[in-house]
Amino acid sequence: MDVLAATRRVLLGESIATLSATYRQGLLDSVGLTDDETSPDTFRKETLRFAGKVCRHLVEHHAAHGYVATALTDWARRVDDYDAFDALLSTYRDFDGRPAILRRGKILFPGPLTAHWEEE
């Protein structure tokens, strides 16, 4: 799966978490591993990097699409990944749960990385 295909799937309502699981499974399959032979950390970095690219692509090209903020909010609640937080908090100023996600992001990431996230 590539970023464009993943983006289309998100725009059709699929969660970034589901896409990430599918992407990770594809990586496992490509090297002949099963879930029983791996830990949750296997391919975690690669999966988060891919999901981060999807998050960035979504806000750069489809920010006005109604489902994007919802998908990013759901994903940011699940992960501690800067790209998810930054894509969401830099693009959307008003969404349910923003204050909590903003607080969490400011705890997770150093001030220079979060200075452009507006507090409301």
Side-chain angles (χ1 to χ4, degrees):
M1 175 184 343
D2 64 11
V3 171
L4 293 177
T7 298
R8 282 191 295 275
R9 290 169 66 169
V10 170
L11 295 174
L12 291 172
E14 194 167 342
S15 73
I16 297 170
T18 300
L19 290 172
S20 295
T22 301
Y23 182 80
R24 180 180 179 270
Q25 187 60 53
L27 293 175
L28 293 174
D29 292 346
S30 73
V31 295
L33 294 173
T34 65
D35 277 333
D36 297 337
E37 301 169 314
T38 64
S39 76
D41 288 334
T42 305
F43 291 126
R44 179 172 171 71
K45 288 180 186 176
E46 294 84 355
T47 301
L48 286 174
R49 191 174 309 119
F50 174 75
K53 289 177 185 178
V54 172
C55 291
R56 295 286 181 192
H57 187 83
L58 284 165
V59 297
E60 289 170 5
H61 300 281
H62 304 283
H65 190 285
Y67 183 67
V68 172
T70 302
L72 291 172
T73 301
D74 178 59
W75 184 238
R77 286 183 176 135
R78 295 171 181 259
V79 298
D80 296 341
D81 182 63
Y82 179 75
D83 283 324
F85 279 81
D86 192 53
L88 178 61
L89 294 168
S90 294
T91 306
Y92 301 100
R93 304 287 185 246
D94 184 32
F95 59 88
D96 287 340
R98 188 179 198 284
I101 290 176
L102 179 63
R103 278 191 306 277
R104 186 166 164 248
K106 289 199 175 246
I107 290 168
L108 290 170
F109 309 108
L113 294 176
T114 65
H116 62 284
W117 297 346
E118 291 183 21
E119 295 193 42
E120 300 191 60

